[in-house]
Short mmCIF file of all heavy atoms in Angstrom, two decimals:
data_model
loop_
_atom_site.label_atom_id
_atom_site.label_comp_id
_atom_site.label_asym_id
_atom_site.label_seq_id
_atom_site.Cartn_x
_atom_site.Cartn_y
_atom_site.Cartn_z
N PHE K 950 2.07 -53.71 -38.70
CA PHE K 950 1.36 -53.45 -39.89
C PHE K 950 0.08 -52.65 -39.61
O PHE K 950 -0.27 -51.69 -40.29
CB PHE K 950 1.06 -54.76 -40.67
CG PHE K 950 0.62 -54.48 -42.07
CD1 PHE K 950 1.45 -54.08 -43.07
CD2 PHE K 950 -0.80 -54.66 -42.36
CE1 PHE K 950 1.00 -53.89 -44.34
CE2 PHE K 950 -1.21 -54.45 -43.61
CZ PHE K 950 -0.35 -54.05 -44.67
N GLU K 951 -0.63 -53.12 -38.62
CA GLU K 951 -1.92 -52.41 -38.29
C GLU K 951 -1.64 -50.97 -37.81
O GLU K 951 -2.44 -50.08 -38.11
CB GLU K 951 -2.66 -53.19 -37.19
CG GLU K 951 -3.33 -54.47 -37.67
CD GLU K 951 -3.88 -55.33 -36.54
OE1 GLU K 951 -3.35 -55.33 -35.42
OE2 GLU K 951 -4.88 -56.11 -36.81
N ASN K 952 -0.58 -50.76 -37.03
CA ASN K 952 -0.22 -49.44 -36.66
C ASN K 952 -0.01 -48.57 -37.88
O ASN K 952 -0.56 -47.42 -37.96
CB ASN K 952 1.08 -49.46 -35.84
CG ASN K 952 0.84 -49.56 -34.36
OD1 ASN K 952 0.72 -48.60 -33.73
ND2 ASN K 952 0.81 -50.77 -33.86
N LEU K 953 0.68 -49.08 -38.91
CA LEU K 953 0.91 -48.32 -40.09
C LEU K 953 -0.41 -48.05 -40.80
O LEU K 953 -0.64 -46.91 -41.26
CB LEU K 953 1.84 -48.99 -40.98
CG LEU K 953 3.33 -49.16 -40.43
CD1 LEU K 953 4.19 -50.03 -41.36
CD2 LEU K 953 3.97 -47.79 -40.33
N GLU K 954 -1.25 -49.03 -40.95
CA GLU K 954 -2.55 -48.87 -41.57
C GLU K 954 -3.38 -47.77 -40.90
O GLU K 954 -3.95 -46.90 -41.59
CB GLU K 954 -3.38 -50.14 -41.45
CG GLU K 954 -3.03 -51.18 -42.52
CD GLU K 954 -4.00 -52.42 -42.36
OE1 GLU K 954 -4.19 -52.81 -41.20
OE2 GLU K 954 -4.55 -52.80 -43.37
N LEU K 955 -3.33 -47.72 -39.59
CA LEU K 955 -4.11 -46.71 -38.86
C LEU K 955 -3.56 -45.27 -39.11
O LEU K 955 -4.29 -44.26 -39.07
CB LEU K 955 -4.14 -46.94 -37.38
CG LEU K 955 -5.11 -48.10 -37.01
CD1 LEU K 955 -4.75 -48.62 -35.61
CD2 LEU K 955 -6.51 -47.67 -37.09
N GLY K 956 -2.24 -45.20 -39.40
CA GLY K 956 -1.68 -43.88 -39.74
C GLY K 956 -2.34 -43.35 -40.98
O GLY K 956 -2.35 -42.10 -41.21
N GLY K 957 -2.95 -44.13 -41.83
CA GLY K 957 -3.65 -43.68 -43.06
C GLY K 957 -5.09 -43.88 -42.93
O GLY K 957 -5.75 -44.16 -43.89
N PHE K 958 -5.64 -43.76 -41.74
CA PHE K 958 -7.05 -44.00 -41.44
C PHE K 958 -7.94 -43.29 -42.47
O PHE K 958 -8.99 -43.91 -42.82
CB PHE K 958 -7.38 -43.59 -40.03
CG PHE K 958 -8.73 -44.04 -39.59
CD1 PHE K 958 -9.10 -45.36 -39.41
CD2 PHE K 958 -9.79 -43.08 -39.43
CE1 PHE K 958 -10.40 -45.72 -39.03
CE2 PHE K 958 -11.05 -43.46 -39.04
CZ PHE K 958 -11.36 -44.79 -38.88
N LYS K 959 -7.60 -42.09 -42.82
CA LYS K 959 -8.48 -41.29 -43.69
C LYS K 959 -8.25 -41.60 -45.17
O LYS K 959 -8.93 -41.02 -46.01
CB LYS K 959 -8.37 -39.83 -43.40
CG LYS K 959 -8.89 -39.39 -42.06
CD LYS K 959 -10.40 -39.37 -42.08
CE LYS K 959 -11.00 -39.23 -40.70
NZ LYS K 959 -10.90 -37.93 -40.09
N LYS K 960 -7.30 -42.46 -45.48
CA LYS K 960 -6.89 -42.69 -46.88
C LYS K 960 -7.44 -44.05 -47.32
O LYS K 960 -7.80 -44.91 -46.48
CB LYS K 960 -5.40 -42.66 -47.01
CG LYS K 960 -4.76 -41.43 -46.55
CD LYS K 960 -4.82 -40.29 -47.56
CE LYS K 960 -4.12 -39.06 -47.08
NZ LYS K 960 -4.17 -37.96 -47.97
N ASP K 961 -7.47 -44.28 -48.65
CA ASP K 961 -7.97 -45.55 -49.13
C ASP K 961 -6.84 -46.59 -49.10
O ASP K 961 -5.67 -46.28 -48.96
CB ASP K 961 -8.60 -45.43 -50.51
CG ASP K 961 -7.61 -44.97 -51.55
OD1 ASP K 961 -6.71 -45.79 -51.89
OD2 ASP K 961 -7.71 -43.84 -51.99
N LYS K 962 -7.28 -47.80 -49.27
CA LYS K 962 -6.42 -48.94 -48.98
C LYS K 962 -5.17 -48.98 -49.95
O LYS K 962 -4.03 -49.23 -49.57
CB LYS K 962 -7.17 -50.26 -49.16
CG LYS K 962 -6.53 -51.32 -48.42
CD LYS K 962 -7.47 -52.44 -48.03
CE LYS K 962 -6.70 -53.48 -47.26
NZ LYS K 962 -6.90 -53.54 -45.86
N GLN K 963 -5.46 -48.65 -51.24
CA GLN K 963 -4.40 -48.64 -52.20
C GLN K 963 -3.34 -47.64 -51.91
O GLN K 963 -2.09 -47.97 -51.94
CB GLN K 963 -4.99 -48.25 -53.58
CG GLN K 963 -4.41 -48.96 -54.74
CD GLN K 963 -5.03 -48.50 -56.01
OE1 GLN K 963 -6.06 -47.78 -56.06
NE2 GLN K 963 -4.45 -48.86 -57.16
#
Side-chain angles (χ1 to χ4, degrees):
Chain K
F950 191 75
E951 286 172 331
N952 266 272
L953 293 173
E954 278 184 314
L955 284 164
F958 187 70
K959 291 286 169 72
K960 305 277 183 180
D961 62 69
K962 204 154 183 108
Q963 214 183 349

